[in-house]
Amino acid sequence: MGRLGTGNSGDAGSEPASDPPRHSGSGSGIEKVDAVVVGSGFGGSVAALRLAEAGQSVVLMERGKPYPPGSFARSPSEMGRNFWDPDRGLYGLFDAWTFRGTEGLVSSGLGGGSLIYANVLLRKDEKWFVNESPIPGGGYENWPFTRADLDPYYDAAEAMLQPVPYPYKDTAKTLAMETTAANLGLSITRPPIAVTFSAAPGTEPRTNHALPLPGYGSIHGPATVRTTCTLSGECDIGCNAGAKNTLDHNYLSAAAFKGADVRTFHDVRGIRPLDSGTQGGGYEVRYVVHHPDRQGELLTERIIHCRRLILGAGTFGTNFLLLRNRASLPALSDALGTRFSGNGDLLTFIMGAKTPSANGSRPGVRTLTGSRGPVITTAIRVPDSNDDDGDGRGYYVEDAGYPAFMNWLMETAQLRTTMKRTVKVAGQLLKDRLFDAGRSNVSADLAAALGDGRLSSSSVPLLGMGRDIPDGVMTLRDGRLAIAWTMATSKEYFGRVRETMESISRDLDGDFIDNPLWWAKRVITVHPIGGAPSGRHPGEAVCDSYGEVFGYPGLFVVDGAAMPGPVGANPSLTIAAFAERTCAHILGNADKARHRGIRPDDAEDSGGPSEKVAAEREAAGAVVDVGASAPRALAPDATKGKAAPEEQPASAVSEVPQVRSRGLGRPGAPDAPDQETTSVRFTEQMHGWFSPGTTDPEKGRSLGRDRSRKIMFELTITAEDMEAFATDPNHPAKAVGYVLADYFGGRMPVERGWFNLFVQDASDDGAPARRMLYRLWLRDPGGTPFTFTGHKLIHNEAGLDLWADTTTLYATILRGHVPPDAGTPDVARPDAERPAASGTAPAGVVGAGILYIRPLDFARQLTTFRAEGPAPAAGLVTFGKLFAGELWQVYGRGLRRVPFPFTSKQ
């Protein structure tokens, strides 16, 4: 049995597994395996099993914890901590997101979305695999595979998940839905649901009967106890009975049995392709291990290498991971983030359903009891225009139950009615006491105080899903995931779904209640789809029909992110079938690709695959990245973006060759400051726009502004020896801080930074000029090194341009850590930053842009000047004289030629 958490004892625990002995190659000390699977949902769990079955070494990383039967939260105190936010010490089941136009609720735990889904395993309708004409920005579906392609893999997934129709014949909500559908002429079925109702196949369903463990055992340990369904309606908050056939009870248990290494509390942060020269090729994966007992602490980054990387972290998780590591994966299609959909999810409620009046009496209470049974027992299908009898986009409407404790919340939420009953009963008891009514039995009074529960017994939620328009766009905004989606384009679809729901409510003579979010033109989805769509070519998709990412052999997406549009039906089974098909493709081509399994005892001698990922060339002069494997200290929750705790870069790299550089000094590690010298420091913040693929900062600024590609930095500049800094332009100051750019995954701490205030130069007309030079060594989440180089050009042109010159930074970003003037003299000059005549950019240049100091930021900057040492006041005066004197050298002569009042020079 494979590893899990603190062991396979069945204890969910709070401690992650300790790392296994690393199988190092070439003395690197880095663990190497055939495949790393990220996430344990319907894509990742399938991949873990199928690859492990084939004898490959597999490591599955799940950020959440395991949930054996009986470990799901139920009490108010447990529920209050049952959410995922590691920054605040929360390591629970539910992960709630909010975006523009939509809310999202997904799960975090071993088993992924299966832990909280409603068990329905429907196949995607055959005619809903549509092929529509592409529309700029998404909003169309073009499925690169068909129902026939998936059918054999639907069979395989069903064989593992064992879904059956709801078998009980006396469940009130089920019977009511079936009767109403018949009255309205709607097609209704009892869909297959992954719940165990019988102790053995072919036997009558019975509640709360013990289930035998399968031959592959349980990943939670041999003492795991599962029982048949207790009909408690708790499917969506975790099944404590173990009756749900969640992925931890089948695929993951079988994968662990076959040798897969299943690790919980392991949170993947970075991915990048290994250099083509790396033995075996493949991918480098960077991750952290959560320690719930160490709340608020930064986490140490860890590294593992693999030949294949399988992404199954869910639509939100996989897209966030790809977007954060886009700079390490620059060949990713521009389709990344497009065609997002909520799978048409719409939640409404039927409240207070009534039976018809008889013989002039008042209507009675229609018993629905939404808390009885599993969450979903029926599905009404409304056909699509692609069907023979449809008109519009197709959808499903399903009954959606809830846990029994929700009944109490519904009843007590009626404050007016509850208070009226309570006051009436209290008054009666007081009256009896005062006037000695002679009653000692007050059972009827207490029953009256509690009420008859008619609201909760006559209510049921409705869940709709179907083919909404997939035109949402996923991006990063200040390092956090953002989605731009609107209900407006799918207004007709949602109107039709809501109309069907309302007709069901009318037939049941109930009050139709919209989800409160509806009035804000928002929806909540539990089935996010798209963002890394599969397709025919990179012009329309991120990955091919098997989920392999275009441009990156061996990198696969196997979860809902790869769906090119809404599934329509509940998407879980389609995602599992897609992953089954992907794994069959991988294993079927293993010999052709010459992938062979890496065993722990031969990791060092394993051969490599034939396909290679083209490595991006570093800039000329880049030093050997000896700090590539040095661990960084990362925030517990990467999804917070710039709001997350400040991360720490890797330890400083060893000293590089000493290259004397004009204006930037030695690139070696700076000496410790002399206690007898005076240092001066200040903090500067600049904002602007950046665009990849260009070497011209002006063009990068223009393209970046049009495409909303922002970049900013906040640097603390320290001149550790103010006297030397003022007298020698070649004496650099130290820069620390961070650069924030969504293209590079958000905030990147500066590993090393150089700054020179004024380096002598000359304008084209021979007039004196100066440059302020910046050079920052950075590293993105994937571990790829970059160098930010920039200059402010101080030269006296026509008019008063002092403010523009001193607040405008022309920036170029290079691939690799490039020391000062190490083979990149062109980067500092604007005329050399433009593409060559052939239109090709110099090797290693990632992009360019322009940053500016905003007036308010400049005002703040003036308040940050500090001096330390034996003569702090003199140090500040020296800095001021240096700054003013150099500006006078450039602008002063021109000012003497300008009469008062100032007029523009011709």
Side-chain angles (χ1 to χ4, degrees):
M1 178 67 72
R3 297 168 56 256
L4 169 63
T6 54
N8 296 325
S9 64
D11 179 14
S14 62
E15 286 295 327
S18 58
D19 274 351
R22 296 180 180 273
H23 313 311
S24 61
S26 304
S28 67
I30 295 177
E31 186 179 4
K32 297 182 179 181
V33 294
D34 281 319
V36 168
V37 179
V38 183
S40 60
F42 284 95
S45 61
V46 170
L49 171 59
R50 299 312 179 195
L51 297 181
E53 279 182 332
Q56 299 203 2
S57 53
V58 176
V59 170
L60 181 144
M61 296 191 181
E62 164 58 50
R63 64 176 182 170
K65 65 182 180 181
Y67 287 92
S71 65
F72 291 100
R74 286 297 182 267
S75 70
S77 62
E78 291 173 338
M79 280 293 185
R81 299 190 59 79
N82 200 27
F83 292 86
W84 180 262
D85 191 339
D87 277 350
R88 300 187 180 182
L90 300 176
Y91 298 88
L93 180 62
F94 297 106
D95 190 13
W97 298 70
T98 182
F99 305 107
R100 175 186 168 189
T102 186
E103 315 290 336
L105 183 65
V106 293
S107 68
S108 180
L110 187 66
S114 74
L115 298 176
I116 65 170
Y117 85 133
N119 318 309
V120 177
L121 295 177
L122 284 168
R123 300 190 181 197
K124 179 176 173 66
D125 298 75
E126 182 176 0
K127 294 185 178 180
W128 293 11
F129 287 83
V130 297
N131 296 104
E132 299 171 336
S133 298
I135 302 172
Y140 69 96
E141 299 179 56
N142 204 324
W143 291 76
F145 47 88
T146 66
R147 169 68 176 267
D149 292 330
L150 288 186
D151 271 336
Y153 306 104
Y154 277 130
D155 293 340
E158 288 170 345
M160 287 296 298
L161 298 170
Q162 300 181 1
V164 295
Y166 181 60
Y168 288 94
K169 308 298 183 183
D170 58 351
T171 304
K173 66 171 184 175
T174 308
L175 299 177
M177 289 290 289
E178 290 172 337
T179 300
T180 293
N183 295 341
L184 299 175
L186 298 172
S187 173
I188 189 170
T189 60
R190 295 193 181 192
I193 55 178
V195 179
T196 302
F197 297 100
S198 304
T203 62
E204 289 296 314
R206 300 179 67 182
T207 61
N208 205 31
H209 274 235
L211 296 173
L213 292 180
Y216 45 73
S218 172
I219 197 168
H220 300 298
T224 302
V225 177
R226 299 178 62 197
T227 68
T228 55
C229 182
T230 57
L231 308 181
S232 61
E234 297 179 347
C235 310
D236 287 348
I237 61 172
C239 180
N240 272 331
K244 277 182 70 172
N245 300 334
T246 50
L247 297 167
D248 51 330
H249 296 313
N250 39 71
Y251 274 106
L252 291 169
S253 289
F257 180 76
K258 291 294 185 179
D261 188 350
V262 179
R263 304 179 186 178
T264 53
F265 287 110
H266 281 55
D267 193 352
V268 172
R269 299 294 179 84
I271 56 176
R272 66 167 175 165
L274 294 169
D275 294 338
S276 57
T278 302
Q279 185 181 23
Y283 294 88
E284 179 175 279
V285 178
R286 293 173 177 249
Y287 65 97
V288 296
V289 180
H290 291 288
H291 296 274
D293 59 333
R294 304 177 193 171
Q295 180 178 345
E297 293 184 10
L298 296 180
L299 304 176
T300 301
E301 182 180 54
R302 310 183 188 205
I303 298 174
I304 185 173
H305 288 176
C306 60
R307 290 185 179 158
R308 292 192 184 90
L309 177 56
I310 315 295
L311 301 183
T315 296
F316 293 153
T318 290
N319 278 288
F320 182 63
L321 194 58
L322 290 174
L323 287 166
R324 283 195 85 216
N325 291 274
R326 191 165 197 164
S328 286
L329 302 166
L332 283 174
S333 165
D334 288 340
L336 179 63
T338 64
R339 313 237 294 271
F340 170 80
S341 160
N343 202 50
D345 283 2
L346 181 65
L347 177 65
T348 62
F349 306 90
I350 299 174
M351 310 287 282
K354 295 174 283 294
T355 58
S357 58
N359 301 322
S361 63
R362 297 177 60 183
V365 176
R366 184 188 295 270
T367 301
L368 298 177
T369 316
S371 60
R372 179 67 174 172
V375 169
I376 292 175
T377 62
T378 62
I380 292 173
R381 180 184 182 276
V382 178
D384 189 272
S385 57
N386 292 290
D387 298 314
D388 297 332
D389 54 347
D391 181 20
R393 303 178 79 88
Y395 55 92
Y396 287 82
V397 175
E398 301 165 348
D399 61 295
Y402 51 83
F405 66 78
M406 293 296 297
N407 291 324
W408 290 101
L409 295 179
M410 280 192 285
E411 294 297 335
T412 55
Q414 303 175 85
L415 294 178
R416 182 176 178 181
T417 303
T418 302
M419 288 298 297
K420 184 177 179 180
R421 290 198 309 263
T422 304
V423 169
K424 182 178 179 180
V425 171
Q428 182 62 47
L429 293 176
L430 179 61
K431 178 181 175 181
D432 292 346
R433 178 68 63 184
L434 292 175
F435 297 101
D436 193 17
R439 289 196 312 138
S440 57
N441 189 311
V442 293
S443 298
D445 299 285
L446 296 179
L450 291 175
D452 56 10
R454 65 171 59 201
L455 179 65
S456 57
S457 65
S458 60
S459 302
V460 69
L462 296 178
L463 177 62
M465 65 194 72
R467 292 189 56 234
D468 62 343
I469 295 177
D471 56 357
V473 178
M474 311 178 81
T475 58
L476 292 184
R477 185 174 301 162
D478 293 335
R480 60 180 175 81
L481 185 65
I483 299 178
W485 182 89
T486 175
M487 188 188 293
T489 52
S490 296
K491 184 177 180 180
E492 181 180 350
Y493 160 80
F494 283 109
R496 295 181 65 232
V497 176
R498 187 174 177 275
E499 182 180 339
T500 299
M501 292 175 164
E502 197 166 9
S503 66
I504 295 171
S505 179
R506 281 196 303 268
D507 189 77
L508 294 173
D509 199 9
D511 298 321
F512 180 72
I513 307 297
D514 281 303
N515 182 333
L517 293 173
W518 174 263
W519 302 109
K521 299 188 182 302
R522 302 174 65 83
V523 297
I524 182 169
T525 180
V526 293
H527 302 126
I529 291 294
S534 57
R536 300 165 296 180
H537 54 78
E540 70 173 14
V542 172
C543 52
D544 64 17
S545 63
Y546 294 98
E548 189 166 22
V549 175
F550 289 115
Y552 293 98
L555 175 60
F556 292 85
V557 177
V558 295
D559 54 25
M563 299 296 103
V567 174
N570 309 66
S572 302
L573 183 63
T574 298
I575 294 170
F578 178 79
E580 288 275 11
R581 181 172 181 262
T582 295
C583 292
H585 171 75
I586 291 173
L587 299 174
N589 288 276
D591 293 337
K592 177 181 178 182
R594 289 186 302 165
H595 282 289
R596 73 176 181 86
I598 300 177
R599 299 189 305 274
D601 56 352
D602 71 357
E604 297 188 22
D605 303 319
S606 58
S610 61
E611 65 265 67
K612 298 288 184 183
V613 179
E616 295 292 321
R617 295 180 58 188
E618 293 187 336
V623 298
V624 176
D625 189 15
V626 295
S629 59
R632 295 175 286 187
L634 305 182
D637 189 354
T639 65
K640 300 291 182 62
K642 71 175 184 180
E646 186 174 346
E647 299 181 338
Q648 299 298 320
S651 55
V653 298
S654 58
E655 186 168 340
V656 297
Q658 297 182 3
V659 181
R660 188 64 180 174
S661 58
R662 181 177 181 274
L664 287 178
R666 291 174 53 184
D671 296 330
D674 190 339
Q675 294 182 354
E676 297 182 357
T677 63
T678 298
S679 65
V680 173
R681 73 176 186 273
F682 64 91
T683 300
E684 181 176 60
Q685 190 174 107
M686 301 190 73
H687 298 256
W689 293 273
F690 159 89
S691 185
T694 179
T695 56
D696 181 358
E698 287 284 1
K699 184 177 179 181
R701 177 196 63 84
S702 179
L703 290 173
R705 185 168 57 182
D706 291 343
R707 299 171 185 176
S708 192
R709 285 179 173 153
K710 297 180 180 180
I711 186 171
M712 64 83 65
F713 67 60
E714 182 175 297
L715 301 176
T716 296
I717 310 294
T718 303
E720 296 180 331
D721 184 343
M722 189 60 232
E723 195 65 32
F725 184 74
T727 57
D728 181 7
N730 290 334
H731 190 89
K734 182 173 66 174
V736 297
Y738 67 88
V739 174
L740 176 65
D742 289 332
Y743 179 81
F744 295 94
R747 185 169 61 187
M748 296 183 290
V750 174
E751 293 191 2
R752 287 199 60 196
W754 296 264
F755 168 77
N756 277 81
L757 184 58
F758 291 112
V759 176
Q760 293 187 4
D761 208 330
S763 299
D764 294 338
D765 59 1
R770 301 289 187 270
R771 289 178 184 267
M772 298 184 192
L773 301 178
Y774 297 70
R775 184 169 295 254
L776 311 172
W777 282 4
L778 309 168
R779 195 179 300 274
D780 77 343
T784 300
F786 296 95
T787 299
F788 176 104
T789 66
H791 70 274
K792 297 175 184 175
L793 183 58
I794 314 300
H795 59 148
N796 193 11
E797 294 182 322
L800 293 175
D801 52 356
L802 172 62
W803 171 259
D805 288 352
T806 56
T807 60
T808 303
L809 180 69
Y810 300 90
T812 302
I813 298 181
L814 310 175
R815 186 172 294 273
H817 280 166
V818 183
D821 268 6
T824 57
D826 58 319
V827 174
R829 303 195 60 86
D831 57 345
E833 288 175 341
R834 290 173 170 80
S838 63
T840 58
V845 177
V846 178
I850 299 179
L851 292 83
Y852 305 92
I853 299 179
R854 302 181 298 197
L856 184 59
D857 292 333
F858 178 71
R860 292 195 188 101
Q861 179 175 333
L862 294 177
T863 69
T864 65
F865 279 84
R866 300 288 186 275
E868 296 179 355
L876 290 174
V877 171
T878 301
F879 185 92
K881 287 182 177 180
L882 170 65
F883 196 88
E886 293 292 338
L887 292 182
W888 179 257
Q889 291 295 321
V890 175
Y891 299 103
R893 298 175 183 178
L895 289 175
R896 288 197 295 267
R897 295 195 300 269
V898 178
F900 185 85
F902 297 112
T903 58
S904 299
K905 293 182 290 185
Q906 300 297 322

